[in-house]
Amino acid sequence: MYYAYCDGNLIYDPSDQELNLLSPELDLKDNAAGSFSFTIFPAHEAYDILERMSSTVAVFRDDTQIFEGRITEETTGFYKRKKIYCEGCLSYLNDTIQPPAEYHDITVRGFLEKLIAIHNSKAAGTRQFKVGIVTVRDSNDSLYRYTNYETTLECINEKLIKVLGGHLRVRWENEVTYLDYLEYYPNTNTQTIEFGENLLDFTRNFDMTDIATVIVPRGTRLDESPIEALDAYLTVSSVNNGSIYVKSDAAIANYGWIERVVDWPDITDASNLLKKAKAYLSDIQYENMVLELKAVDLHLLDADEEAIYLLDRVRAVSEPHGLDRYFPVTELKIPLDAPDQAVFTLGTKVQMSLTSANNEANAELLQKIQRLPTESHILEQAKTNASELIRQATNGHVVVKPDELLIMNTDDPDTATLIWRWNLNGLGYTDEGYDGTYGTAITMDGQIVADCITTGTMYANRIKGGTLTLGGAKNANGVLTIKNASGTVIGRWDKDGINATNGTFNGTLTNVSGDQKTVIDNARMNIYKSDQLVGYVDGNTYYKPTGVYGTRIGGKGLIALLTPYMGVGSYVESGDVFVDIGGSGVMNYVADLSLSTDASGRLNWSYHNSYVVFYNGLMVTDLDA
């Protein structure tokens, strides 16, 4: 039973003659504001309380609110009857403008919350929304959007729905108006609309030239073919009494023999191919069909039957047409005084602009930037969204099998599309049906499969493959810190660069820039000054392009030798011998050091009859070594 209220006052009760309205009709649409219209008599006690643009009108089905809006049109006739037209509450979002702004690396929920927060800052309390469940996601869950004086509703329509799809749903709980943004239709209804039962009449919006009453299903391509010049494919003949045809006798009787070849190149099993073919004939080929039908909502006759609401998925069966498919309810036209004459529109079609005032949106659609979100409150957003999702789990079917537990959007694994499946091997979720791909899963071998894991702290023994992104736009702090066994930090990699206090590098390091630099290439260290090679270390021996300079003896020797080439200290060269003059102009020496000149005139230092080179008191090169 339907009831209507204005500013909290009951104005329509079909059981009360004094609270009667003429032709009360509710029109609800997917991703649209919807409307409620009626005519009120002068004798009605609410005749004078209906105020255009200020009064709030609500419609309830039993105890469930299904509409709220404001009066936008009022026409008074000759007999002072007022014809009232109410626009749904999504139209409130046309009252506010989004200022010029740029949003980087923000989640779908985060962007919607920003828009609604700006709207709420300007709208009255009764015109405000709270973001509820958001299940629509960008491929990276990271949006890049601009706003520029569009209405809030235009922004949601143009920058979210037209780009990412999904469905807006308004719901009311504890005097709070929630705005949900859902990827899927939220409920699969247990009712069936069936030809010859509660289906009174329907029209189709479907190109009948595409219909097939007989199909030849083909699976994977086979390695061998009976005709050498032609490819051969898996067929259903081995599981279909030798026939390659799958047909609908009822559809043949209605439309005649119309055959098509349908390919499933990934199917390698004939039984699965037959199952797909049967589903195609009665279901899949009607994917683009839109049904406008008159049907009796069986809840009106039996309270135990589930009531049909906007965005429910409802099974429609018409045996003469070979039709057996779940369609979404995308529009409901309900005469409140004759609900058995409700008109249901089943199936998706191109939606008009969200605003019932037919606002045109010409804003440019921006390309998505594939960057991970860096909003500091992303974890809190994820917690809020998860809480809303789980708290609103008021539908679904739990099926217990001998070897597994199923939670589904229908009570039959053969018809369900959204499934949680839990058995000995793991827990998984799919939106592709029982035999589909389980893209979210925890399996018994310790693996977790997910598109996104949102967490405050995550411990891992090892992370392999893929892309790890730290930091990003706005100089957000992305930090990789390495600690040794005692907990001491030995390396840090952040937005300012790499700082390592210990470790070894093996391999090739390329694209090193700067006036003074060291490049490791094929295990050889090249030393550059102003992009000129001034020396290199190969193994333990240091070279200058014109000759040998010394053998590495420990880290201090190498550092001492290379420091001058890095622009520190003063030095002179004598043949192939390095002589350090030092800051005071005095050559460093130690006891028992003697000088000599060989036959080539090369100056050497001798220490206990061994040729040596000293630098700042440290032995750098032992030429006998």
Side-chain angles (χ1 to χ4, degrees):
M1 191 172 293
Y2 293 92
Y3 306 91
Y5 295 81
C6 178
D7 296 328
N9 301 300
L10 184 63
I11 62 172
Y12 176 72
D13 182 347
S15 64
D16 190 339
Q17 288 295 326
E18 294 184 357
L19 296 175
N20 198 11
L21 300 173
L22 180 64
S23 303
E25 181 169 291
L26 183 65
D27 188 359
L28 304 176
K29 295 181 181 181
D30 181 16
N31 282 341
S35 64
F36 177 49
S37 61
F38 58 88
T39 299
I40 189 169
F41 300 98
H44 197 292
E45 62 185 48
Y47 184 83
D48 293 323
I49 69 171
L50 301 173
E51 297 291 340
R52 187 162 53 184
M53 295 301 292
S54 61
S55 293
T56 299
V57 177
V59 177
F60 285 74
R61 179 172 185 169
D62 299 326
D63 295 327
T64 302
Q65 184 172 350
I66 58 176
F67 176 85
E68 180 179 298
R70 61 186 173 191
I71 300 173
T72 57
E73 297 179 22
E74 176 185 317
T75 304
T76 303
F78 181 78
Y79 295 103
K80 294 187 178 181
R81 295 175 179 177
K82 290 182 181 179
K83 187 173 183 179
I84 304 296
Y85 180 85
C86 304
E87 193 175 50
C89 61
L90 279 181
S91 64
Y92 301 163
L93 298 174
N94 278 323
D95 298 343
T96 55
I97 298 295
Q98 294 293 321
E102 182 178 3
Y103 298 92
H104 285 276
D105 300 328
I106 190 170
T107 64
V108 174
R109 182 186 184 88
F111 181 59
L112 183 58
E113 286 181 333
K114 294 283 189 183
L115 299 180
I116 295 301
I118 293 173
H119 166 80
N120 288 344
S121 69
K122 306 172 184 178
T126 56
R127 303 289 190 258
Q128 294 181 354
F129 296 85
K130 181 178 181 180
V131 176
I133 301 171
V134 178
T135 58
V136 176
R137 288 182 56 200
D138 170 62
S139 58
N140 295 299
D141 212 17
S142 176
L143 301 181
Y144 187 8
R145 296 288 191 270
Y146 291 96
T147 59
N148 189 26
Y149 296 119
E150 307 94 341
T151 69
T152 302
L153 195 54
E154 285 176 328
C155 283
I156 294 174
N157 187 22
E158 296 296 327
K159 303 175 191 304
L160 288 177
I161 293 175
K162 286 191 176 181
V163 182
L164 302 176
H167 313 276
L168 291 179
R169 178 180 67 177
V170 180
R171 55 185 172 86
W172 298 266
E173 290 185 14
N174 301 321
E175 299 183 354
V176 176
T177 302
Y178 289 92
L179 180 64
D180 299 332
Y181 185 27
L182 308 175
E183 179 178 5
Y184 301 106
Y185 295 99
N187 178 48
T188 299
N189 202 288
T190 54
Q191 268 203 61
T192 298
I193 296 177
E194 188 168 359
F195 185 84
E197 295 291 333
N198 56 335
L199 177 60
L200 304 179
D201 185 26
F202 74 88
T203 58
R204 293 185 299 268
N205 179 12
F206 183 68
D207 188 352
M208 299 305 293
T209 61
D210 294 331
I211 198 171
T213 60
V214 182
I215 65 171
V216 179
R218 297 193 305 185
T220 187
R221 187 169 60 181
L222 303 178
D223 294 333
E224 297 181 0
S225 173
I227 303 176
E228 185 176 353
L230 301 177
D231 290 330
Y233 298 87
L234 175 71
T235 69
V236 297
S237 60
S238 62
V239 293
N240 193 38
N241 299 320
S243 174
I244 63 171
Y245 297 104
V246 178
K247 58 185 180 178
S248 169
D249 293 332
I252 292 173
N254 200 26
Y255 300 119
W257 184 284
I258 306 172
E259 60 183 350
R260 299 281 186 270
V261 175
V262 183
D263 290 304
W264 286 276
D266 296 330
I267 295 182
T268 59
D269 180 76
S271 297
N272 288 339
L273 186 61
L274 180 60
K275 182 178 179 180
K276 287 285 188 181
K278 290 180 177 179
Y280 179 88
L281 278 176
S282 62
D283 185 346
I284 300 173
Q285 70 170 328
Y286 296 105
E287 182 176 7
N288 296 321
M289 174 181 281
V290 175
L291 297 177
E292 185 177 286
L293 52 88
K294 288 185 178 180
V296 177
D297 185 345
L298 296 179
H299 179 73
L300 299 172
L301 306 176
D302 183 355
D304 292 333
E305 288 280 358
E306 183 180 1
I308 296 176
Y309 292 98
L310 184 71
L311 300 185
D312 280 358
R313 293 176 69 249
V314 179
R315 184 184 179 194
V317 178
S318 179
E319 185 175 347
H321 304 91
L323 173 67
D324 186 352
R325 177 175 176 80
Y326 281 89
F327 289 92
V329 180
T330 54
E331 184 174 358
L332 271 175
K333 292 183 178 180
I334 307 171
L336 302 193
D337 54 352
D340 58 327
Q341 296 298 310
V343 175
F344 300 80
T345 298
L346 306 182
T348 57
K349 57 184 178 181
V350 177
Q351 298 292 330
M352 300 297 292
S353 174
L354 282 178
T355 168
S356 56
N358 292 323
N359 287 339
E360 295 293 335
N362 296 314
E364 180 182 359
L365 296 178
L366 302 175
Q367 297 296 324
K368 292 182 286 184
I369 292 183
Q370 298 183 351
R371 287 182 292 179
L372 295 176
T374 59
E375 291 291 313
S376 60
H377 60 287
I378 185 173
L379 180 60
E380 190 62 32
Q381 287 183 347
K383 290 179 180 178
T384 300
N385 206 50
S387 299
E388 289 288 343
L389 276 170
I390 294 173
R391 188 171 61 85
Q392 287 298 315
T394 56
N395 47 58
H397 303 269
V398 179
V399 176
V400 180
K401 302 176 68 175
D403 54 354
E404 63 183 359
L405 174 68
L406 304 175
I407 302 176
M408 308 177 292
N409 61 335
T410 73
D411 59 358
D412 185 354
D414 289 335
T415 60
T417 54
L418 310 180
I419 300 176
W420 279 100
R421 184 176 178 183
W422 196 350
N423 56 39
L424 183 62
N425 292 326
L427 171 66
Y429 173 80
T430 181
D431 58 5
E432 299 177 359
Y434 187 80
D435 294 321
T437 301
Y438 288 78
T440 301
I442 304 175
T443 54
M444 64 183 302
D445 57 2
Q447 296 192 50
I448 299 177
V449 180
D451 289 334
C452 178
I453 298 177
T454 306
T455 178
T457 301
M458 181 172 65
Y459 295 92
N461 183 46
R462 58 179 177 266
I463 299 177
K464 294 182 177 180
T467 300
L468 175 65
T469 302
L470 303 176
K474 306 176 187 176
N475 284 329
N477 289 327
V479 180
L480 177 64
T481 302
I482 309 298
K483 298 181 179 180
N484 61 15
S486 63
T488 302
V489 175
I490 62 173
R492 177 185 174 93
W493 195 342
D494 59 23
K495 61 184 178 63
D496 297 320
I498 303 174
N499 184 3
T501 60
N502 194 13
T504 302
F505 180 84
N506 296 312
T508 300
L509 183 65
T510 60
N511 297 327
V512 179
S513 61
D515 184 58
Q516 303 163 2
K517 59 189 177 184
T518 301
V519 179
I520 300 174
D521 186 5
N522 297 324
R524 190 180 81 174
M525 180 183 293
N526 295 318
I527 301 97
Y528 293 87
K529 172 70 175 176
S530 301
D531 292 327
Q532 298 297 318
L533 181 67
V534 296
Y536 60 91
V537 178
D538 193 353
N540 287 326
T541 303
Y542 172 74
Y543 297 86
K544 184 187 176 187
T546 58
V548 177
Y549 261 62
T551 302
R552 174 178 177 178
I553 303 177
K556 290 184 177 179
L558 179 61
I559 294 172
L561 182 63
L562 298 183
T563 297
Y565 283 103
M566 301 301 283
V568 180
S570 57
Y571 62 92
V572 296
E573 298 179 33
S574 175
D576 287 339
V577 178
F578 174 76
V579 182
D580 178 60
I581 304 301
S584 62
V586 179
M587 184 180 66
N588 294 300
Y589 67 94
V590 298
D592 298 325
L593 176 67
S594 61
L595 301 176
S596 64
T597 303
D598 61 15
S600 301
R602 184 171 57 183
L603 181 65
N604 295 312
W605 292 265
S606 177
Y607 180 67
H608 291 301
N609 298 320
S610 295
Y611 290 108
V612 296
V613 173
F614 284 85
Y615 175 75
N616 288 343
L618 298 174
M619 184 173 67
V620 175
T621 306
D622 186 340
L623 300 182
D624 288 343

